[in-house]
Amino acid sequence: MPSREDPGLSGGLPSRGRGRRLTVLSGPSGVGKSTVVAELRRAHPEVWLSVSVTTREPRPGETHGVEYFFADDAEFDRLVAGGELLEWAEFAGNRYGTPRGPVISRLEAGVPTVLEIDLQGARQVRESMPEALLVFLAPPTWQELEKRLRGRGTEPEDVIARRLEAGRVEMAAEKEFDVTLVNTTVQDVCHRLIALMSA
Ligand code: 5GP
């Protein structure tokens, strides 16, 4: 394995700045992003995972400040108006956003940072932080995605339908990403993600 200093890897390249340590994990709803994030949190405490703000209701087992900061519409409006979100998007009837301050301070401290966000958010990050690595998590097959989304049993049919519709749009955008990881097993995806982040 070449070292970080290997001129073949870094020689002559301009410094890519703070975005270098920023990784965006995206992909259709139900593909398993949050399982991957939970495993990263468990197995790689050196990686910092941004906690998003959302207006959706907590699912059973979700804790404020762990999976999300749960906010009402007025609070979300205030964050948007105050420029406190690095990116935000509306997804299947709810709003989601990444608090800017904690991300910037981690990146400035050199901490590897992961954002688990939707396609619209990934596009915004690509604009504002072009050095970020954009990773697309894909299901092994479309049928598998549908099965996972329904099997979760946390959403009513109309919400599942909206998420599948958004999933089709997300799948069509795969080529906008720097790399695709197919979700085979959670450990395998984590392993490959960490390898990409340390390359
Ligand atoms: P869920 O409701 O299943 O937790 O998340 C729905 C979608 O919102 C997922 O695709 C997830 O990646 C995305 N999401 C979560 N947090 C953020 C965020 O801060 N910004 C954006 N743009 N999307 C997010």
Side-chain angles (χ1 to χ4, degrees):
M1 274 286 279
S3 75
R4 281 255 169 101
E5 286 70 39
D6 184 337
L9 281 180
S10 56
L13 289 177
S15 162
R16 286 189 288 157
R18 68 184 182 196
R20 179 177 196 169
R21 286 186 173 274
L22 181 62
T23 302
V24 171
L25 181 65
S26 214
S29 175
V31 73
K33 283 169 296 178
S34 38
T35 314
V36 168
V37 162
E39 175 62 11
L40 271 183
R41 199 176 269 134
R42 191 195 64 78
H44 292 278
E46 75 280 13
V47 174
W48 184 71
L49 294 143
S50 164
V51 180
S52 298
V53 185
T54 183
T55 59
R56 93 153 154 68
E57 290 296 316
R59 293 190 184 121
E62 286 184 334
T63 308
H64 182 76
V66 178
E67 290 84 7
Y68 284 107
F69 294 108
F70 297 97
D72 60 17
D73 271 320
E75 172 68 2
F76 202 97
D77 286 344
R78 195 187 65 71
L79 294 171
V80 172
E84 290 180 47
L85 301 178
L86 182 65
E87 59 72 38
W88 70 272
E90 186 162 339
F91 182 91
N94 293 299
R95 287 184 293 169
Y96 299 81
T98 303
R100 184 191 300 276
V103 173
I104 301 300
S105 59
R106 289 322 185 289
L107 292 176
E108 280 174 356
V111 178
T113 295
V114 175
L115 311 183
E116 186 254 277
I117 59 179
D118 84 329
L119 171 65
Q120 306 165 74
R123 284 175 172 156
Q124 292 172 50
V125 174
R126 167 123 290 168
E127 282 292 304
S128 62
M129 294 175 148
E131 309 89 346
L133 177 72
L134 266 57
V135 178
F136 187 82
L137 189 62
T141 61
W142 177 260
Q143 288 74 10
E144 183 66 21
L145 181 73
E146 226 173 317
K147 199 172 102 195
R148 286 187 200 198
L149 205 47
R150 290 187 199 283
R152 194 152 78 180
T154 48
E155 274 93 19
E157 187 55 37
D158 62 319
V159 174
I160 292 175
R162 285 168 92 167
R163 283 175 180 250
L164 282 172
E165 198 182 306
R168 281 194 189 88
V169 175
E170 302 235 355
M171 290 296 286
E174 181 188 336
K175 28 181 202 317
E176 294 178 34
F177 288 75
D178 297 311
V179 55
T180 293
L181 297 180
V182 175
N183 193 2
T184 44
T185 69
V186 65
Q187 282 81 12
D188 182 42
V189 171
C190 277
H191 182 78
R192 285 182 286 154
L193 198 54
I194 293 293
L196 282 170
M197 290 173 77
S198 30

